[in-house]
Amino acid sequence: MKFTLNNNTIKQLSSDCLIVAVDKNSVLTDSGKLIDKLLNGEISRVLSQGDLDTQSTNTLLFHTHHTHIKRILLVSYDHDKTTRRKNYYKLALAAANTLKKYRVNQADSLLHEIHLSNGNTNTKIQQEILAFNQAYYHFDQFKSKKPEWQKLETLSFVNNDQTHQDLEKIITETAAIANAINHAKDIANTPPNSCTPTFLARQANDLATASNQLSTEVLDEASMNQLGMHSLLSVSKGSDEQAKCIIMNYQGADKRQKPIVLVGKGITFDTGGLNLKAATGMALMKYDMCGAATVLALMKMVVELKLKINVVGCIASAENMVNGQASRPSDVVTSLSGKTIEIINTDAEGRLVLCDAMAYCQKFNPEIMIDIATLTGATIHALGYENNCLFSNDTALTEKLLQAGTAIGDPAWQLPLTDEGRQLLESDVADLKNAPNISSVVAKSTVAACFLSHFVDNCSWAHLDVANTAVCYDTNQASGRPIPMLANFLLNYK
Ligand code: BES
Ligand code: MN
Ligand code: ZN
């Protein structure tokens, strides 16, 4: 789908379909009124017939008698003068779904004339792009008969207000975010017999081939063994798939500028290991690489937009399976940092792969390190499905991330790193346990974050546990989160 600006005046407009907003009192926006005039009152007539219930978000598509404006899509919304960002996203989504249903292939939007109480024109255009991108996303790579449907070729935003000069920029940026979301969804939705650690490494290599600002290095099991990444390697021991630690280095700024390091959990399937998951718990575990998909997608976006920052993307990838080599509860492994870890629970494998990747990334001397992981199911109990769980050792970074998420509709909520959590990981035989005793009822998300905190060397660090948000549990599909939040953070990084 292409997103463009349409600078024509209302009178000059020609369109397959013009998207026009109408409030609950059937009042059109300013341009809507002009168009109604141009159409000799066709819109008013449709509205006065009561064909559209304007009391809530509804849509109505009809053909006009006008030669240049073929169709009108009316979209109603339930506020008189103002609406909030979230509602705006919903009404844009409703518009997109109707256009999809009726196989429209080109549209021009005037939705952004609606007044937002918590966002400007940039916000509105951004939300509209994200909503349309969401509505039209589909994954049919593994269907032998591709479902038939008409894609929307272009969505144009009608604007001849010269004061909105940064609209081109927000369109380009948001289109890149949308591409990143789709890319991450494609990777995450790929079945786990195709999406293996080796597959993820290939994705990273493909990125390097496409850009001369990005280079990829893939550590295989032999090199990780040599380096001493025995914590990561302990997870893949029970699998026939080779573990990989994948490093993508993007240089968009001066060499001396310290990079932002993004570390993603890439467990391509999580059976739990010997602490085997039950059938229901294992069902969606192909999505246990959503952190990795987020990192790959963000690197793709950074490359596409040629951002003037330095970013290192690192993926800790393994498959958590069971065979005669698999880790046992009680095993002790030595991590790359030198710290020894007693494996209490083989299902707490995410932290075992992440800690070695994070320790490895210290060599890049990060300005900021952010790890992204589907780490604990308990995030759902703590926060539900709305907010990403954020942990951080830096209040300024926390503020920036929370703000970036809120502004783009991918919110996060901060949870604490606690002494209690750290104490629960004290081991009698090793430096650290990977999880509390098997039967303990504890704040699992906090404990997991506390484990990771042991592997951060005085740098500004944030941990995003997205087990509750990376998957849409209504549809059992990858959601693309927390890409919008992190993309927004990177785009505004100074
Ligand atoms: N990949 C899971 C976390 C998860 C659960 C993600 C549900 C998405 C949905 C992770 O590896 C795991 O198994 N975590 C355990 C931690 C426990 C053993 C301390 C959990 O959440 O129960
Ligand atoms: Mn697990
Ligand atoms: Zn896992």
Side-chain angles (χ1 to χ4, degrees):
M1 197 183 308
K2 265 180 55 188
F3 302 100
T4 59
L5 267 186
N6 183 339
N7 293 313
N8 285 320
T9 62
I10 298 299
K11 278 191 179 150
Q12 296 167 327
L13 272 182
S14 89
S15 177
D16 267 8
C17 182
L18 205 54
I19 308 173
V20 178
V22 52
D23 76 10
K24 71 170 167 193
N25 302 314
S26 295
V27 177
L28 296 165
T29 57
D30 289 349
S31 302
K33 285 175 190 152
L34 287 177
I35 290 153
D36 191 32
K37 231 183 233 160
L38 210 65
L39 302 181
N40 298 317
E42 279 191 77
I43 299 179
S44 313
R45 268 198 302 284
V46 165
L47 284 170
S48 66
Q49 299 292 316
D51 290 7
L52 180 68
D53 170 10
T54 57
Q55 296 307 299
S56 58
T57 297
N58 286 304
T59 60
L60 179 66
L61 183 78
F62 59 92
H63 281 255
T64 76
H65 292 99
H66 196 274
T67 42
H68 299 310
I69 297 169
K70 291 196 195 142
R71 302 179 188 82
I72 295 286
L73 176 69
L74 280 178
V75 185
S76 60
Y77 61 104
D78 72 356
H79 290 254
D80 292 49
K81 289 191 186 66
T82 66
T83 192
R84 294 186 67 75
R85 187 205 52 72
K86 206 179 196 175
N87 292 335
Y88 188 81
Y89 178 85
K90 283 185 189 157
L91 71 97
L93 195 61
N97 280 323
T98 304
L99 294 186
K100 187 176 164 193
K101 182 171 169 194
Y102 292 102
R103 300 155 178 262
V104 174
N105 68 62
Q106 186 266 325
D108 296 275
S109 178
L110 282 164
L111 280 187
H112 48 279
E113 285 197 354
I114 293 175
H115 183 261
L116 266 202
S117 61
N118 59 345
N120 56 18
T121 307
N122 280 0
T123 311
K124 287 180 272 188
I125 288 189
Q126 178 157 70
Q127 292 298 307
E128 204 167 336
I129 291 174
L130 293 175
F132 271 73
N133 184 61
Q134 166 74 22
Y136 280 88
Y137 176 79
H138 63 114
F139 184 72
D140 58 13
Q141 203 186 312
F142 291 83
K143 293 220 184 254
S144 42
K145 240 196 203 151
K146 310 287 179 209
E148 247 183 76
W149 67 298
Q150 172 71 52
K151 67 175 177 186
L152 186 69
E153 303 289 347
T154 359
L155 175 68
S156 300
F157 302 96
V158 180
N159 172 70
N160 42 53
D161 182 345
Q162 296 308 316
T163 58
H164 292 149
Q165 286 186 347
D166 46 356
L167 290 185
E168 293 279 7
K169 184 164 170 263
I170 199 80
I171 291 173
T172 311
E173 288 179 355
T174 311
I177 298 174
N179 284 341
I181 290 170
N182 297 346
H183 186 56
K185 285 181 178 178
D186 284 348
I187 295 170
N189 288 332
T190 299
N193 56 336
S194 294
C195 180
T196 60
T198 305
F199 173 91
L200 294 178
R202 200 177 321 127
Q203 298 290 322
N205 278 322
D206 289 351
L207 262 184
T209 313
S211 160
N212 50 21
Q213 285 174 293
L214 185 137
S215 58
T216 291
E217 186 193 3
V218 178
L219 305 178
D220 61 10
E221 289 191 349
S223 21
M224 287 192 275
N225 191 34
Q226 204 126 59
L227 286 162
M229 300 171 81
H230 303 296
S231 179
L232 192 157
L233 288 171
S234 75
V235 176
S236 67
K237 279 199 312 182
S239 166
D240 289 346
E241 290 296 335
Q242 292 282 306
K244 306 280 178 194
C245 184
I246 306 157
I247 301 107
M248 291 160 280
N249 199 331
Y250 171 83
Q251 202 193 315
D254 191 286
K255 255 201 188 90
R256 285 161 300 184
Q257 200 165 307
K258 293 173 163 190
I260 301 171
V261 173
L262 305 170
V263 184
K265 171 178 173 182
I267 299 296
T268 57
F269 197 76
D270 181 11
T271 65
L274 282 174
N275 293 101
L276 196 66
K277 286 182 184 296
T280 48
M282 207 187 293
L284 297 178
M285 282 304 129
K286 71 165 182 175
Y287 292 122
D288 213 14
M289 36 56 69
C290 281
T294 299
V295 172
L296 277 167
L298 287 170
M299 296 311 286
K300 187 178 153 84
M301 181 201 80
V302 164
V303 164
E304 195 176 317
L305 293 174
K306 294 188 161 49
L307 294 191
K308 293 186 174 55
I309 50 177
N310 293 334
V311 189
V312 172
C314 177
I315 290 169
S317 188
E319 192 187 39
N320 190 20
M321 300 284 276
V322 232
N323 66 17
Q325 313 279 311
S327 286
R328 291 157 283 258
S330 305
D331 280 359
V332 172
V333 294
T334 305
S335 68
L336 177 61
S337 72
K339 289 182 176 139
T340 56
I341 304 166
E342 182 188 9
I343 299 174
I344 297 293
N345 191 327
T346 61
D347 199 10
E349 84 298 338
R351 60 200 81 179
L352 293 176
V353 297
L354 285 170
C355 74
D356 272 351
M358 286 164 65
Y360 183 82
C361 286
Q362 293 296 336
K363 78 168 195 177
F364 297 109
N365 193 17
E367 177 75 33
I368 289 173
M369 184 183 289
I370 303 174
D371 75 84
I372 307 104
T374 47
L375 207 59
T376 61
T379 50
I380 298 170
H381 302 286
L383 292 185
Y385 302 105
E386 191 160 315
N387 286 284
N388 304 308
C389 297
L390 171 72
F391 298 85
S392 180
N393 62 4
D394 178 335
T395 49
L397 177 61
T398 299
E399 272 317 306
K400 282 185 195 155
L401 286 168
L402 292 176
Q403 208 280 329
T406 304
I408 202 167
D410 183 13
W413 197 269
Q414 189 184 14
L415 294 176
L417 295 156
T418 61
D419 289 339
E420 182 185 61
R422 280 178 166 255
Q423 273 159 22
L424 285 161
L425 295 172
E426 286 169 7
S427 164
D428 293 335
V429 296
D431 299 340
L432 212 58
K433 302 199 278 203
N434 81 326
N437 293 338
I438 206 86
S439 54
S440 356
V441 178
V442 298
K444 288 187 182 162
S445 310
T446 281
V447 173
C450 288
F451 178 90
L452 295 178
S453 74
H454 285 279
F455 301 87
V456 183
D457 258 352
N458 63 60
C459 96
S460 182
W461 165 66
H463 159 57
L464 284 164
D465 191 338
V466 293
N468 60 332
T469 54
V471 175
C472 171
Y473 290 97
D474 286 338
T475 58
N476 290 350
Q477 296 282 307
S479 70
R481 295 180 68 184
I483 290 169
M485 170 190 189
L486 290 173
N488 205 20
F489 172 79
L490 292 175
L491 285 165
N492 294 304
Y493 189 78
K494 267 168 215 94

